[in-house]
Amino acid sequence: MSDKFKLSKWQLFAWLVGLLLSAPLFFLVVESLKGDSEVFIHLWNTVLWDYIFNTVVLIFGVCFLSCFIALPLGWLTAYCHFPGKRQFEWALMLPLAMPTYIIAYVYTDLLDYAGPVQIALRQWFGWQSPDDYWFFDIRTLPGAIVMLSLVLYPYLFLIFKTALREQSFKLVQASQLMGLSPSRSFYKVSLVLSRGAIVAALALISMETMADFATVSYFAVSTLTTAVYDTWFGYYSLTAAAKISGVMLLLLFLALITERFSRRDQAVFERQTSVNSEALYQLRGKSAWFATLFCSFILAIAFVLPVAVLLSYAVTYFDSIWSNALLSYAWQSLKVATIVSVIAIVLSVFVVFYQRIAKQAHPLIPGRLASTGYALPGTVLAIAVLLPLTLIENALNTMLEPYHLNIGLLLTGSIVTIIIAYVVRFYAIAHGAIESSFVRISPSLDMASQSMGKSQSQTLRLVHLPLLRRGILTAALLVFIECMKELPAALLLRPFNFESLATHVFQYVSDEQLELASLSALLIVVVGLVPLYFINRSMESRS
Amino acid sequence: MKKIFAIILGLITATPAFASDVVNIYSFRQPYLIQPILNDFTEQTGIKTNVVFAKKGLIERVKREGKHSKADLVLTSNFSALIQLEDLKLTQTIKSEHVDANVPASFRDENGQWVALTKRVRNVYSSKERVGPLAELTYEDLADPKFKGQICTRSGKHPYNLGLIASMVAHHGEEKAKVWLEGVKANLARKPQGNDRAQVKAVKEGLCNLALGNSYYLGKMIENKDQRAWAEAVNINFPNQTNRGSHINVSGVVITKYAKNPDNALKLIEYMTDTTAQNTYASVNMEYPVKPGVELSSLVASWGSFKEDNLPLNEVSKYRSVALKLIDEVKFDL
């Protein structure tokens, strides 16, 4: 009896989270059903298919390239010894702290026809015009794929590495004993065992890619996201924009169904064992240097080079850009990011826990519902969040009118709205990371805990949470950094006199003055690095 | 429940009453462009200014906030946004003899719902080295096959290009405008990308010979030591001087319908149309002031006087959605 009651409590909570976090989306869907379809039909007949094609190619491209970068990196740093390994383990996560729009601006400046690289080539070879030689054009679909991959691969790297760490290393050792070479063991054992984590990470990467606006718009690559913006701010049709968001959601559901499908028969439970460093592969000679070279190359192009460019700007223009106000912007960013991380983690732990203990049908639905906000472009999400919030405010104001009370824009006029929007947007990240950690905890532990008379809450607190520590830290870090970087929603929802680092960067970047934004951009990276460092240390420390 | 109610009550009582000496601004324009003007305004009047800046979505935000919106003013960077605000009935009438005296009627809404603050021209830049100045150039010429593979521009959907294409529809009708747009697309050196400065840069590098761009960018580039070389590689041309004149766009301002501080908002608008603020716009931002007689920056003045296309902005903006449709139909940006 009591068990049943408890279960319904968890269920109630999970569904509440699911419904609340998907409410903005629901309102958007309702919006899309309003009004006429004239604009949408016009788009359908002209450019929509180009947009869909570009979006799909972009997503597949970014997923593929991220795998190509992150899987070898994750495996090397988790299981091998090679020169620089300890540094690479945390350094390869650094690109996460880089906003995509910044990296896109930096590389466009460098590699454009009018950029220093091509100018040097032309001078060197005496070429006169673009007809004299071929050079890849960065402002293309492939260019956007590369930029996004450089910033998004750390998701996969981090989640894959965490998965490898949490896997029983005995299996890898067994494969060693059976004479499998490192690379064979990687394919046959590590990849297969981490499939769930990989797919979860790719789902995150896909959603992040789909929601990206700044980069694709800068590269003049028309995707569904740019179409949403064009339609809404060009045709002034929120209805048609919402319809296009609907197309995006279809793609998102396809991605989520694929993910679920790939996990359907996955039941690999692990007892956490710390990896014994003696047991790792000791790479030597050529392969060791190749590993070092590969890690260095990725780190250089994804992080070192863009930071160096920003640094050189910051040094050159320091006098005209430094002000104490920057510190208060950093504080605003930090505050919002911290609050959102905590909320997202707490909610997702409970929801994932419900998925685990649920005896009802469809335990996965609340989590899926709650994760839908992630694929919405920031500005669309911002308005979607405003739809229900303004309704609530207006209702409250109407209710209080007889008492001559006016709360005005209690919610939407404060940073509460930004926090809500970020939780809606980034819940999926926390959910994905925690889910893939939870999956690896064997149900036998739950049974053992129950047989010792522990309640479900106690099991969660005493058994699961300690085992989830890494997953939770990973999730917190990812959400935190995303909040630091997020721009479009912050721009649109901020109250008066609220300036975060990202909005400050945008002020100048939107006027093509990256150099004046360089210091704030660097601060975003630095503030993101602080938790990265601590979390990494805590993940390294043996429990 | 009691707790929640107590919290709500606490919040209500904690909500500050609006001070009578502020004005709240939603701005499509970067704060650093307008901050000097706002600072002077505060110094002179004691009225504090608060700004929320965003490039997109502010109109939707004002609409959603409804009567509780804190925004008193919206500053826009193009005329479409002004007219959109008016169409959505989010504005109130700007009644001020002071403003009427400062701003010519052609740069004010006939119903007093918006006022333009600065003018900018849609110019064509040409390579000094390969083309030279084109005094007789028209926008129509951009579709001439003789310029095949020579033209650079930013996205057709950007408000500045949208305004120009809408004016072409207004002058020539939809069908002719479409043929023209197809012609321009056929002449592009590359897919529309980047911003107005990037086009000038591309001309310097020899990627194209002609580029569309707003007038003030050239001034800003000359001021920027890293970009001066790009600016010096081009001639600035004012199209259609032989007939209707060059296409003009404006930045402007509205007072929101539910402004809590309408008097302060009006004071700010009056201040922004006055000589001091207009001067700041002209010298800092290299734009053309709307107030007659205000001195141009010496650089802008050196480009010479020119004939403006007199077609009222309200008229041009009627064709905005047609222009958008054409851009999709000819796949201008793809």
Side-chain angles (χ1 to χ4, degrees):
Chain A
M1 179 66 212
S2 68
D3 216 32
K4 254 190 174 163
F5 173 74
K6 276 189 181 119
L7 205 54
S8 63
K9 183 178 69 177
W10 291 109
Q11 186 185 14
L12 186 72
F13 182 81
W15 276 93
L16 199 65
V17 171
L19 291 174
L20 279 178
L21 294 190
S22 57
L25 191 79
F26 168 77
F27 275 85
L28 205 63
V29 170
V30 170
E31 188 70 39
S32 76
L33 301 174
K34 284 185 195 164
D36 56 53
S37 302
E38 195 192 338
V39 173
F40 187 77
I41 290 168
H42 156 74
L43 291 170
W44 184 267
N45 292 334
T46 51
V47 283
L48 197 63
W49 286 102
D50 293 292
Y51 296 162
I52 292 173
F53 173 81
N54 282 348
T55 306
V56 171
V57 171
L58 187 73
I59 290 172
F60 274 100
V62 172
C63 283
F64 178 79
L65 192 56
S66 299
C67 281
F68 183 79
I69 296 171
L71 296 179
L73 289 179
W75 188 80
L76 284 171
T77 51
Y79 286 165
C80 302
H81 280 305
F82 59 94
K85 164 217 153 93
R86 283 204 67 78
Q87 289 70 37
F88 284 126
E89 234 178 302
W90 58 266
L92 284 167
M93 296 206 282
L94 295 178
L96 252 195
M98 237 332 146
T100 348
Y101 44 95
I102 297 288
I103 210 170
Y105 286 123
V106 168
Y107 273 110
T108 307
D109 273 2
L110 283 177
L111 299 173
D112 225 10
Y113 182 85
V117 173
Q118 288 199 55
I119 291 176
L121 285 173
R122 284 198 292 276
Q123 285 174 340
W124 184 260
F125 291 102
W127 292 321
Q128 294 300 320
S129 78
D131 306 333
D132 295 349
Y133 68 107
W134 179 89
F135 192 85
F136 65 87
D137 185 0
I138 184 164
R139 282 184 154 169
T140 52
L141 189 52
I145 288 172
V146 174
M147 290 301 116
L148 286 163
S149 304
L150 285 181
V151 175
L152 297 176
Y153 85 82
Y155 279 122
L156 184 56
F157 171 70
L158 194 56
I159 292 174
F160 182 55
K161 199 175 69 165
T162 311
L164 290 180
R165 281 289 159 86
E166 288 176 355
Q167 271 168 26
S168 165
F169 194 63
K170 292 193 175 64
L171 289 167
V172 180
Q173 286 171 308
S175 74
Q176 278 178 311
L177 288 172
M178 290 170 162
L180 253 63
S181 70
S183 56
R184 300 269 303 163
S185 161
F186 167 70
Y187 284 117
K188 294 265 179 197
V189 182
S190 307
L191 272 191
V192 174
L193 288 181
S194 326
R195 203 182 51 189
I198 293 171
V199 175
L202 287 181
L204 290 182
I205 289 175
S206 306
M207 290 194 248
E208 189 72 43
T209 303
M210 195 158 21
D212 172 79
F213 173 76
T215 312
V216 285
S217 107
Y218 190 62
F219 278 16
V221 174
S222 300
T223 62
L224 287 169
T225 303
T226 58
V228 167
Y229 278 68
D230 288 346
T231 310
W232 188 13
F233 303 116
Y235 288 103
Y236 298 136
S237 169
L238 182 54
T239 310
K243 282 190 170 75
I244 297 173
S245 303
V247 175
M248 293 170 73
L249 287 171
L250 281 179
L251 286 176
L252 167 70
F253 281 124
L254 281 177
L256 289 175
I257 288 166
T258 316
E259 182 207 0
R260 223 187 122 174
F261 198 68
S262 77
R263 290 201 203 179
R264 72 194 183 286
D265 51 0
Q266 194 206 17
V268 183
F269 303 115
E270 303 292 342
R271 206 170 46 75
Q272 269 184 308
T273 49
S274 53
V275 177
N276 178 352
S277 67
E278 272 75 71
L280 299 181
Y281 290 111
Q282 183 65 52
L283 299 185
R284 294 186 204 289
K286 261 192 203 151
S287 52
W289 284 112
F290 183 75
T292 308
L293 201 67
F294 181 60
C295 293
S296 312
F297 175 70
I298 297 295
L299 184 63
I301 56 170
F303 189 76
V304 178
L305 193 67
V307 166
V309 171
L310 289 176
L311 264 176
S312 77
Y313 280 144
V315 169
T316 314
Y317 293 89
F318 188 83
D319 291 337
S320 51
I321 49 183
W322 170 255
S323 79
N324 290 335
L326 286 179
L327 296 175
S328 76
Y329 305 155
W331 169 242
Q332 296 277 32
S333 293
L334 197 73
K335 189 171 63 179
V336 171
T338 309
I339 295 171
V340 173
S341 309
V342 171
I343 296 174
I345 296 298
V346 171
L347 296 183
S348 56
V349 165
F350 284 134
V351 172
V352 178
F353 181 66
Y354 162 72
Q355 287 180 8
R356 186 180 184 85
I357 59 170
K359 307 245 187 322
Q360 298 89 343
H362 310 303
L364 294 174
I365 290 180
R368 294 283 173 272
L369 273 178
S371 299
T372 43
Y374 193 38
L376 286 180
T379 304
V380 179
L381 172 86
I383 293 300
V385 165
L386 281 182
L387 295 173
L389 286 182
T390 43
L391 269 185
I392 293 169
E393 274 172 349
N394 288 334
L396 278 175
N397 279 313
T398 313
M399 252 168 49
L400 295 168
E401 216 152 338
Y403 310 103
H404 301 292
L405 287 168
N406 183 342
I407 56 164
L409 301 175
L410 184 71
L411 301 166
T412 55
S414 67
I415 74 170
V416 173
T417 311
I418 295 187
I419 289 168
I420 292 174
Y422 282 9
V423 172
V424 170
R425 180 143 162 59
F426 300 130
Y427 171 87
I429 302 179
H431 187 95
I434 286 172
E435 194 177 32
S436 60
S437 278
F438 238 126
V439 154
R440 283 188 293 273
I441 300 175
S442 164
S444 58
L445 289 175
D446 301 40
M447 293 169 202
S449 168
Q450 260 181 335
S451 66
M452 291 159 85
K454 298 274 183 261
S455 70
Q456 280 167 331
S457 325
Q458 286 170 316
T459 307
L460 174 62
R461 205 175 62 233
L462 303 169
V463 180
H464 293 152
L465 284 182
L467 292 176
L468 285 175
R469 202 181 52 128
R470 276 193 184 137
I472 286 178
L473 286 173
T474 305
L477 172 72
L478 292 176
V479 174
F480 180 91
I481 287 178
E482 280 301 329
C483 291
M484 289 293 302
K485 296 191 297 186
E486 205 289 334
L487 181 62
L491 272 179
L492 197 49
L493 295 175
R494 59 188 168 152
F496 283 104
N497 303 325
F498 173 92
E499 190 89 75
S500 70
L501 289 173
T503 57
H504 188 247
V505 165
F506 179 73
Q507 222 197 97
Y508 293 105
V509 165
S510 62
D511 198 37
E512 308 102 55
Q513 305 196 63
L514 178 60
E515 61 276 7
L516 296 180
S518 54
L519 211 52
S520 315
L522 283 171
L523 273 175
I524 292 180
V525 176
V526 170
V527 176
L529 294 185
V530 175
L532 201 65
Y533 173 78
F534 280 108
I535 283 178
N536 208 57
R537 253 189 43 175
S538 129
M539 283 170 78
E540 291 310 304
S541 68
R542 300 287 151 77
S543 43
Chain B
M1 197 61 221
K2 271 185 193 163
K3 253 190 196 170
I4 292 171
F5 198 69
I7 290 170
I8 289 177
L9 263 178
L11 283 167
I12 295 165
T13 47
T15 308
F18 281 102
S20 59
D21 54 352
V22 298
V23 60
N24 294 316
I25 303 158
Y26 281 3
S27 171
F28 281 101
R29 311 207 66 188
Q30 283 89 347
Y32 67 86
L33 296 177
I34 48 173
Q35 207 56 55
I37 294 172
L38 298 181
N39 291 347
D40 287 348
F41 173 72
T42 304
E43 206 167 295
Q44 290 213 3
T45 58
I47 298 168
K48 197 168 162 289
T49 58
N50 295 318
V51 184
V52 166
F53 153 72
K55 276 264 170 184
K56 290 189 159 87
L58 284 176
I59 295 178
E60 194 66 36
R61 179 168 166 180
V62 176
K63 188 173 142 188
R64 292 284 150 212
E65 288 171 343
K67 61 182 182 199
H68 301 292
S69 178
K70 289 180 182 172
D72 300 313
L73 285 178
V74 183
L75 284 168
T76 78
S77 54
N78 64 76
F79 68 82
S80 309
L82 296 171
I83 287 156
Q84 165 73 357
L85 282 158
E86 183 183 3
D87 288 348
L88 289 170
K89 305 208 165 15
L90 296 171
T91 59
Q92 57 173 283
T93 311
I94 299 168
K95 272 202 258 341
S96 160
E97 287 174 10
H98 190 125
V99 171
D100 294 357
N102 281 339
V103 183
S106 55
F107 291 103
R108 282 183 277 120
D109 179 45
E110 52 196 2
N111 311 315
Q113 300 303 298
W114 52 263
V115 173
L117 295 170
T118 62
K119 294 185 281 186
R120 52 279 294 276
V121 186
R122 199 72 185 139
N123 295 100
V124 174
Y125 295 109
S126 55
S127 162
K128 263 183 196 168
E129 191 186 338
R130 297 181 301 279
V131 180
L134 300 166
E136 311 238 313
L137 185 83
T138 62
Y139 295 115
E140 288 75 6
D141 290 343
L142 297 177
D144 188 327
K146 74 177 177 197
F147 291 125
K148 191 163 180 53
Q150 295 187 35
I151 299 174
C152 282
T153 179
R154 73 193 309 167
S155 159
K157 291 184 175 176
H158 190 278
Y160 302 153
N161 276 346
L162 209 51
L164 173 63
I165 296 165
S167 85
M168 293 299 281
V169 178
H171 286 295
H172 298 294
E174 186 176 340
E175 269 173 51
K176 275 191 173 165
K178 185 176 177 177
V179 173
W180 170 77
L181 197 61
E182 280 169 337
V184 177
K185 180 174 166 60
N187 285 344
L188 292 179
R190 59 176 186 182
K191 183 175 72 165
Q193 57 186 264
N195 44 53
D196 282 1
R197 291 185 206 220
Q199 314 313 320
V200 174
K201 187 176 175 184
V203 172
K204 183 200 179 276
E205 294 301 332
L207 206 57
C208 32
N209 293 338
L210 302 177
L212 273 165
N214 276 359
S215 49
Y216 52 87
Y217 283 112
L218 193 68
K220 286 185 177 180
M221 287 196 285
I222 285 172
E223 281 191 332
N224 180 323
K225 65 177 188 336
D226 299 328
Q227 298 176 353
R228 186 171 303 142
W230 314 347
E232 286 169 347
V234 295
N235 292 108
I236 183 167
N237 304 291
F238 291 83
N240 297 67
Q241 292 304 295
T242 51
N243 47 35
R244 65 176 182 269
S246 302
H247 170 70
I248 299 288
N249 204 321
V250 298
S251 75
V253 62
V254 305
I255 301 183
T256 57
K257 186 177 178 179
Y258 298 107
K260 309 287 180 287
N261 307 293
D263 299 349
N264 290 349
L266 194 60
K267 278 185 195 149
L268 179 57
I269 294 178
E270 287 174 348
Y271 182 81
M272 286 179 129
T273 59
D274 273 343
T275 305
T276 315
Q278 289 284 304
N279 240 328
T280 310
Y281 270 131
S283 56
V284 174
N285 214 13
M286 305 283 177
E287 293 183 73
Y288 291 91
V290 285
K291 187 181 180 187
V294 171
E295 206 176 327
L296 296 176
S297 93
S298 56
L299 177 69
V300 175
S302 74
W303 300 334
S305 58
F306 64 97
K307 185 177 172 188
E308 298 174 15
D309 183 347
N310 284 328
L311 191 67
L313 297 176
N314 283 357
E315 192 60 29
V316 176
S317 81
K318 280 182 197 160
Y319 298 101
R320 197 177 156 280
S321 55
V322 178
L324 255 174
K325 210 175 71 183
L326 294 183
I327 292 164
D328 281 338
E329 279 175 12
V330 309
K331 297 193 176 184
F332 191 82
D333 281 351
L334 291 169

